Amino acid sequence: MTESDLDRLEEMFVDPDAIGVFNWGGFTDGTVWRKRFEENRLLSEDRSVLMVELDGTALGFVSWNKIRTGQFSHVFEFGISLWPAHRGKGHGSAAQLQLARYLFAHSTVHRIQAGTELDNIAEQRALEKAGFTREAVLREYSFRDGAWRDEVLYRMLRPELPMP
């Protein structure tokens, strides 16, 4: 993530079409990204963001956060959002697999997980293509657009990481 990426990131979060229907959470304060960038370049022990690029072109971003599961254990939960022009071309699966490899290589985490709405079939296919396993359906897990939505939870354990 570079400072010049912040403009694109902010644009994504103020445009429901850019962020996508499943990631749209309403209008937010765009300055939060700049504040976090100044603090830690959007990389911290608990919450991080990286741009997804291909041949120097920004396609979108991935983010992950740490969820404590015990006194000495945690998992990483991640998300992805690509700009509309880059969706449906396999970039999401590739980015998610790269992120999984990165997180397993640079941490002691044993489990990585991602959730997506039950109706987000494209993201479910992308996660499965990246090697994630569908684990559970969480009923009425999130509230979006005036209704409670079911979420599908996917996971990858360290021994399940596909080899290059």
Side-chain angles (χ1 to χ4, degrees):
M1 180 70 67
T2 65
E3 192 166 6
S4 62
D5 293 323
L6 294 175
D7 290 337
R8 295 288 318 271
L9 194 60
E10 289 172 352
E11 288 172 17
M12 184 177 267
F13 277 88
V14 298
D15 181 353
D17 293 327
I19 193 73
V21 64
F22 296 108
N23 287 334
W24 177 248
F27 293 100
T28 59
D29 178 8
T31 62
V32 73
W33 294 109
R34 291 192 187 279
K35 289 175 189 171
R36 285 187 53 213
F37 185 81
E38 289 171 11
E39 288 173 10
N40 58 26
R41 300 287 194 242
L42 300 180
L43 293 171
S44 73
E45 185 177 319
D46 292 325
R47 185 177 212 183
S48 299
V49 179
L50 290 174
M51 294 302 288
V52 175
E53 289 189 356
L54 178 65
D55 299 326
T57 300
L59 308 180
F61 71 93
V62 291
S63 62
W64 67 96
N65 61 298
K66 181 187 283 189
I67 299 173
R68 298 223 175 267
T69 58
Q71 185 175 359
F72 301 108
S73 60
H74 66 274
V75 301
F76 285 126
E77 185 167 87
F78 75 89
I80 186 169
S81 191
L82 302 178
W83 281 283
H86 304 296
R87 295 178 191 150
K89 299 177 181 178
H91 303 309
S93 292
Q96 290 171 121
L97 179 54
Q98 270 192 316
L99 180 59
R101 287 187 173 133
Y102 172 82
L103 293 173
F104 283 134
H106 297 282
S107 75
T108 59
V109 74
H110 186 73
R111 176 190 174 97
I112 298 169
Q113 64 188 37
T116 189
E117 278 192 30
L118 185 63
D119 293 338
N120 193 348
I121 303 303
E123 174 59 2
Q124 291 175 52
R125 287 186 184 139
L127 285 163
E128 290 166 1
K129 186 177 172 186
F132 285 79
T133 300
R134 182 179 171 133
E135 194 167 71
V137 174
L138 309 172
R139 297 291 178 206
E140 298 184 5
Y141 187 79
S142 61
F143 191 80
R144 181 185 59 77
D145 199 23
W148 286 99
R149 310 293 174 148
D150 294 347
E151 183 107 350
V152 182
L153 182 65
Y154 281 83
R155 68 112 212 294
M156 182 184 291
L157 303 177
R158 185 176 286 274
E160 299 170 341
L161 178 67
M163 300 310 290

